[in-house]
Amino acid sequence: MTLSKHYLLLSELSDMNCKVPFHPFHMQGVNQELSEVLNQLWRLDTNRLKPGTDYRISLQGRAGYVAQGSHHARDRARAPLFSYVNEDKLKSIETYAHFINLLDNYEMSTGVSETVTSEELRENHLFLDAILETDVMKHAHKYLVSKGQSPSDQTQFKRQLYDIWFRLYHRDRSGGQDSCGFEHVFVGETKSGQEIMGLHNWVQFYLQEKHDHVDYKGYKARDNKDTPDEDDHVLNLQFSWKGLVKPVGGSFIGVSPEFEMALFTILFLISTEKMTSEVVKVDEYVMELVVYRHGRSIGTSFPKLLSSNNRDL
């Protein structure tokens, strides 16, 4: 593992306020079985939006180094990341529509207890019901049952998904139940008003950017040989959110919420380690997938693009 790769991982996992062991062996070789399963999910993801048609991104400049906790970053991107998103299409797809309804259900800061209203509880269940009807989640469920990691009964599987993603827990020890996996990964949180944690979802990024809460600072790449393309579905980004800077955050672009939920649920359940890191090749992308567990729930999860189109491998 190069220092820059290790920095990307450390920067992300500082989200969890923990010490991350340096494990060079994480980077050795692609997990073939996991890659095969995830490629099946990729092929089944009919709700994935098409770059250049359903949305357009503008990568602009390559972002520089920024220390964690910094409030300033040199802006290498004058324009937003998303120059166009077909919102009508987005809202016409059931899983996206229910997903978007969840994005305003959380307190931004850790340490502030979450209150789940009956309406928010209903929205959580409607979202899970919608994704469970997709071929992506059906295939993920079938795979997890075959591995003995999930119950075959769909109601019990839904309960398992709820525990992994929506069950509240203490992230900041000074507060009450202030966080959950879904909030951290898909919505984003702040810690002590000093740093951004999570926020790895492209729909949330786009909507926050549209409302001038997010300012895209540029893409992150290890060197000039690995510059991303504007049709890439995985990116490493630098951005500010409500005045705080995220030095680097990995994100899928254009994929459906059910694809991300399925992928990270599988990664979470195939290991009992505190941190699970696997290198996979999905479509043309070689990426490192990372999941950090918080008891029976997800603490954080994100992709980190290593190479696209087999460049520089």
Side-chain angles (χ1 to χ4, degrees):
M1 184 188 291
T2 65
L3 275 178
S4 58
K5 286 183 197 171
H6 189 223
Y7 162 71
L8 283 171
L9 183 54
L10 282 176
S11 158
E12 269 301 347
L13 290 178
S14 68
D15 280 4
M16 304 305 300
N17 192 26
C18 62
K19 291 179 180 174
V20 182
F22 179 47
H23 288 318
F25 56 80
H26 279 316
M27 303 308 299
Q28 289 179 6
V30 168
N31 182 323
Q32 297 295 343
E33 181 186 337
L34 190 58
S35 296
E36 193 176 312
V37 173
L38 299 183
N39 275 294
Q40 287 173 310
L41 298 185
W42 184 264
R43 287 190 288 272
L44 290 169
D45 191 17
T46 53
N47 288 337
R48 183 171 63 248
L49 268 55
K50 293 180 177 62
T53 305
D54 301 322
Y55 69 90
R56 286 189 293 274
I57 61 171
S58 175
L59 289 168
Q60 302 163 81
R62 181 181 170 200
Y65 170 80
V66 174
Q68 188 72 31
S70 173
H71 290 244
H72 302 285
R74 188 169 174 191
D75 199 340
R76 305 295 178 107
R78 294 291 176 92
L81 174 64
F82 287 93
S83 54
Y84 166 74
V85 173
N86 184 340
E87 282 197 44
D88 290 337
K89 177 162 186 176
L90 208 59
K91 290 169 181 173
S92 72
I93 300 170
E94 195 177 358
T95 55
Y96 286 101
H98 287 303
F99 175 82
I100 290 167
N101 286 340
L102 304 180
L103 297 177
D104 62 357
N105 288 356
Y106 297 96
E107 294 286 345
M108 182 176 171
S109 181
T110 58
V112 179
S113 294
E114 296 289 348
T115 305
V116 182
T117 66
S118 56
E119 176 61 20
E120 289 170 354
L121 195 61
R122 182 174 160 275
E123 288 174 354
N124 291 347
H125 284 288
L126 285 171
F127 171 67
L128 286 176
D129 288 340
I131 67 171
L132 283 164
E133 288 301 310
T134 64
D135 289 341
V136 167
M137 195 53 86
K138 284 177 179 172
H139 188 77
H141 183 203
K142 187 177 172 184
Y143 174 73
L144 287 166
V145 170
S146 76
K147 288 291 181 182
Q149 298 302 322
S150 291
S152 56
D153 179 75
Q154 181 152 309
T155 304
Q156 290 178 2
F157 180 54
K158 180 184 169 184
R159 193 173 298 129
Q160 184 183 36
L161 288 175
Y162 200 98
D163 280 349
I164 291 169
W165 290 102
F166 291 104
R167 199 160 61 90
L168 294 175
Y169 52 69
H170 301 263
R171 190 178 292 274
D172 186 322
R173 291 194 180 94
S174 67
Q177 292 185 317
D178 61 349
S179 186
C180 67
F182 183 89
E183 176 187 10
H184 184 94
V185 174
F186 292 99
V187 184
E189 315 177 270
T190 60
K191 178 183 164 189
S192 311
Q194 293 299 312
E195 61 184 81
I196 299 168
M197 305 195 301
L199 211 173
H200 297 288
N201 177 260
W202 73 272
V203 177
Q204 168 72 338
F205 191 99
Y206 161 68
L207 292 171
Q208 290 292 303
E209 193 174 57
K210 180 183 167 185
H211 292 111
D212 293 325
H213 297 315
V214 156
D215 182 9
Y216 170 62
K217 301 293 186 186
Y219 65 87
K220 291 291 288 184
R222 287 167 294 149
D223 51 52
N224 291 323
K225 289 186 296 182
D226 200 28
T227 305
D229 296 326
E230 296 189 341
D231 62 352
D232 278 351
H233 282 290
V234 195
L235 295 175
N236 303 322
L237 310 170
Q238 186 178 99
F239 59 93
S240 66
W241 185 38
K242 300 184 179 181
L244 301 174
V245 173
K246 179 116 181 173
V248 58
S251 184
F252 287 103
I253 306 290
V255 305
S256 70
E258 58 266 28
F259 176 80
E260 290 191 67
M261 294 279 282
L263 175 146
F264 289 123
T265 298
I266 288 172
L267 197 63
F268 176 82
L269 288 171
I270 61 173
S271 168
T272 56
E273 296 295 318
K274 184 82 173 166
M275 184 184 82
T276 304
S277 168
E278 294 286 355
V279 177
V280 295
K281 186 171 191 291
V282 179
D283 193 51
E284 67 185 56
Y285 311 103
V286 177
M287 63 187 114
E288 183 181 7
L289 300 176
V290 178
V291 165
Y292 213 93
R293 68 174 53 241
H294 196 291
R296 288 189 295 135
S297 306
I298 279 181
T300 191
S301 59
F302 54 89
K304 181 157 60 91
L305 181 65
L306 301 179
S307 181
S308 175
N309 289 315
N310 296 319
R311 286 188 299 247
D312 80 337
L313 279 184

